Amino acid sequence: MIEINNVSKWYGEFQVLTDCTTKVQKGEVVVVCGPSGSGKSTLIKCVNGLEPFQAGTITVEGTSVGDPKTNLPKLRSKVGMVFQNFELFPHLSITENLCLAQEKVLGRGHEESMEKGLKLLDRVGLKAQAQKFPGQLSGGQQQRVAIARALAMDPIAMLFDEPTSALDPEMVNEVLDVMVQLAKEGMTMMCVTHEMGFARKVANRVIFMDRGAIVEDAAKEDFFGQPRSERAQTFLSKILHH
Amino acid sequence: MTSLHLDWGILFEESPTGDGPYWQLLLTGLKWTLATAMSGWLIAVAVGAVVGVIRTVPSRWLSLLGDAYVEVFRNIPFLVQLFFWFFVLPELLPEAAGSWMKQSMPRPEFFTAAVGLGLFTAARVAEQVKSGIQSLPRGQRNAGLAMGLTLTQTYRYVILPMAFRIVIPPLTSEFMNTFKNSAVALAIGLTELTFQMKQMVEYSNQVIITILATTVLYMVLAMAVNRLMAWIEHKSRVPGLIAGGGK
């Protein structure tokens, strides 16, 4: 469903992505990990064209992301994205956050959007908060709303960019639970995360990145069993021993 | 030393200008100050919002255009700008348009002052709008785009509603400045409040009373603007956020 072929990206002289190639099949959950500054977030933002790239191709269900003729808003409306800092719109209530893109992008009526939004809000366990504003919710609650907001668009795949990194420790699990449930329902997911417990539980494959390159791209069992690269072994030993 | 003797009765004496009593002379000035500042402000907000926005979009050409606007209008004294619009522009325009401006345009001092003030203040509004937009986390724009909103929709529904809330306090001073700056228009003959004040001083010789009365009128205007903006700030307050006039 998502195919990334030989993607390279530069900020001026500095190369942030080097020749990245991988793919995500329909229904697959792929976890992208690696030390900070390794280009994981940049790579995932290339998938829906939030970051431009200078070489290589990315296709989502056959549509080329880098092609200037591609209708990017249309493509993005089919790919949900969840951000590290939630990025709910603070001036809109929770229901308005859930309805905005359904109405303005998909052209759904207000009642239909509301119904859909409230159903998803219920699913992430926050129906009681519908009338509140983002600033009145905890970080974990905000991130669950953000997931519901992305799901309201009926996406064919979901991108997660470090969804739990900005959360207080006690709120990490409520967000991971929603993500695990989503994975079990067969959602195609690409997740940048350091949550190895999540990876062990639901990932099909794990990609390890370092200095802008994909160093390792392996089935979960192989990755946790015997990572081939020394860099990945060091990384794992550092984050698993704490 | 002579003791200060103020004769407030002068305000009710007939002025030799044919405008009625002196208080009415000042009131006419107040009316023109109000009209000029309000129309100037509307132009400033409309033009300033556009210029501020194009300075933040990912188009080099547009942001250069916006930067150029701000540089030009912010770097030249307002008085010089007014003289340019009033005396120079008609000479630069094609014959027909130029002579229309000089001979048939209704209330040329007023329209020149309002538009000139608007364009001058727009540069300052644009600067505020730009910094308001840039003060928002970059992720907000990404979040809007990632849901499939176009860049225009992202500005309309996501970025601008927050950016404008953030810049209400600095915009309040700009709004108050339009009233104060409108006094410059006396130089092209607009009979606004400061112009009328000068007239009254000349005819009545009551310098102190005239200036005191004018001061009071300007202060009332400024306080009204201030209250209006505080009310808008309160009404647009976002629940759960400290910024934007919280409790």
Side-chain angles (χ1 to χ4, degrees):
Chain A
M1 173 170 293
I2 299 172
E3 292 196 31
I4 301 174
N5 290 310
N6 305 104
V7 167
S8 295
K9 174 180 171 68
W10 289 263
Y11 286 125
E13 292 288 292
F14 183 69
Q15 187 160 11
V16 279
L17 292 177
T18 308
D19 214 18
C20 295
T21 300
T22 189
K23 63 171 76 171
V24 183
Q25 311 279 8
K26 191 171 187 323
E28 209 176 16
V29 177
V30 173
V31 162
V32 184
C33 63
S36 60
S38 60
K40 345 179 259 301
S41 287
T42 309
L43 181 66
I44 203 171
K45 284 191 186 117
C46 287
V47 173
N48 62 354
L50 284 182
E51 290 280 355
F53 47 92
Q54 287 80 32
T57 57
I58 296 180
T59 58
V60 177
E61 270 210 326
T63 310
S64 171
V65 178
D67 187 341
K69 288 193 288 285
T70 296
N71 182 344
L72 269 183
K74 192 170 172 210
L75 182 142
R76 287 168 178 154
S77 71
K78 295 192 286 185
V79 181
M81 187 160 200
V82 175
F83 297 86
Q84 182 173 359
N85 293 309
F86 331 132
E87 306 300 353
L88 295 179
F89 306 139
H91 61 293
L92 300 179
S93 70
I94 300 307
T95 51
E96 287 168 335
N97 264 281
L98 290 162
C99 292
L100 179 68
Q102 292 190 67
E103 289 170 22
K104 304 298 175 196
V105 178
L106 303 180
R108 286 180 186 155
H110 184 63
E111 295 204 348
E112 190 190 351
S113 312
M114 272 303 251
E115 198 187 349
K116 177 115 197 158
L118 288 176
K119 209 161 84 190
L120 286 161
L121 205 55
D122 194 24
R123 192 174 138 182
V124 298
L126 292 170
K127 201 166 188 179
Q129 319 290 336
Q131 300 311 318
K132 291 197 176 162
F133 282 75
Q136 297 169 317
L137 301 188
S138 72
Q141 290 174 324
Q142 288 192 51
Q143 193 62 301
R144 286 188 279 155
V145 172
I147 295 174
R149 182 175 73 174
L151 292 176
M153 303 293 285
D154 293 320
I156 56 170
M158 288 281 287
L159 307 173
F160 291 85
D161 184 10
E162 305 208 29
T164 56
S165 302
L167 293 173
D168 290 335
E170 76 268 25
M171 293 171 185
V172 169
N173 280 333
E174 63 188 71
V175 172
L176 288 180
D177 287 346
V178 172
M179 290 171 64
V180 167
Q181 192 195 356
L182 207 54
K184 286 186 173 156
E185 285 166 16
M187 175 60 81
T188 308
M189 291 163 71
M190 189 169 175
C191 314
V192 173
T193 182
H194 291 138
E195 297 295 338
M196 290 300 126
F198 170 77
R200 275 185 204 274
K201 205 183 268 176
V202 295
N204 299 101
R205 284 190 6 258
V206 179
I207 291 172
F208 176 75
M209 290 185 72
D210 190 26
R211 295 191 201 114
I214 293 178
V215 180
E216 195 138 353
D217 183 349
K220 170 179 66 180
E221 296 76 18
D222 297 338
F223 184 78
F224 288 114
Q226 190 58 61
R228 278 153 290 190
S229 69
E230 202 178 308
R231 192 69 190 83
Q233 285 177 23
T234 328
F235 177 75
L236 274 181
S237 70
K238 274 182 188 154
I239 61 169
L240 292 181
H241 281 191
H242 291 285
Chain B
M1 255 177 78
T2 52
S3 70
L4 198 58
H5 178 70
L6 297 179
D7 178 15
W8 289 95
I10 185 72
L11 285 170
F12 300 96
E13 279 174 30
E14 207 60 27
S15 82
T17 58
D19 286 310
Y22 280 116
W23 66 264
Q24 215 168 339
L25 187 78
L26 291 182
L27 207 65
T28 315
L30 185 72
K31 195 184 76 186
W32 283 113
T33 292
L34 202 63
T36 309
M38 292 299 285
S39 353
W41 180 244
L42 292 180
I43 296 170
V45 170
V47 176
V50 173
V51 174
V53 164
I54 66 172
R55 294 174 79 199
T56 64
V57 297
S59 154
R60 212 181 147 68
W61 191 83
L62 279 178
S63 52
L64 272 177
L65 190 73
D67 288 348
Y69 181 94
V70 172
E71 287 305 317
V72 169
F73 283 89
R74 208 171 51 157
N75 292 354
I76 299 169
F78 177 45
L79 181 60
V80 178
Q81 292 187 27
L82 263 192
F83 282 161
F84 176 86
W85 299 126
F86 200 66
F87 298 116
V88 182
L89 185 67
E91 308 299 331
L92 297 180
L93 287 175
E95 185 79 31
S99 65
W100 178 82
M101 273 193 81
K102 281 187 277 190
Q103 287 151 24
S104 345
M105 190 166 94
R107 304 203 176 281
E109 329 79 37
F110 168 68
F111 283 106
T112 308
V115 173
L117 183 60
L119 295 179
F120 169 74
T121 312
R124 308 172 61 91
V125 171
E127 194 67 6
Q128 309 292 2
V129 169
K130 178 191 168 193
S131 60
I133 292 172
Q134 288 180 338
S135 72
L136 294 175
R138 203 181 154 67
Q140 288 279 298
R141 179 191 304 234
N142 277 346
L145 294 176
M147 292 196 302
L149 296 174
T150 61
L151 187 63
T152 313
Q153 286 177 320
T154 303
Y155 269 92
R156 163 74 183 78
Y157 299 111
V158 177
I159 298 174
L160 289 179
M162 277 313 286
F164 269 108
R165 282 174 169 86
I166 290 170
V167 298
I168 288 174
L171 282 187
T172 304
S173 359
E174 291 308 333
F175 195 4
M176 290 161 79
N177 278 345
T178 60
F179 284 88
K180 292 177 266 185
N181 289 337
S182 68
V184 172
L186 75 88
I188 57 170
L190 180 68
T191 57
E192 46 70 57
L193 187 50
T194 306
F195 184 98
Q196 301 292 70
M197 176 189 83
K198 280 188 63 180
Q199 286 222 82
M200 186 172 159
V201 167
E202 271 168 40
Y203 291 117
S204 71
N205 276 322
Q206 294 284 349
V207 182
I208 296 174
I209 287 189
T210 309
I211 292 180
L212 280 181
T214 309
T215 306
V216 168
L217 290 176
Y218 272 118
M219 279 180 69
V220 168
L221 278 182
M223 276 156 73
V225 169
N226 200 298
R227 290 293 87 207
L228 172 72
M229 293 298 274
W231 179 78
I232 292 175
E233 189 175 357
H234 180 75
K235 283 284 157 196
S236 62
R237 196 167 59 90
V238 174
L241 286 194
I242 318 265
K247 283 173 256 175

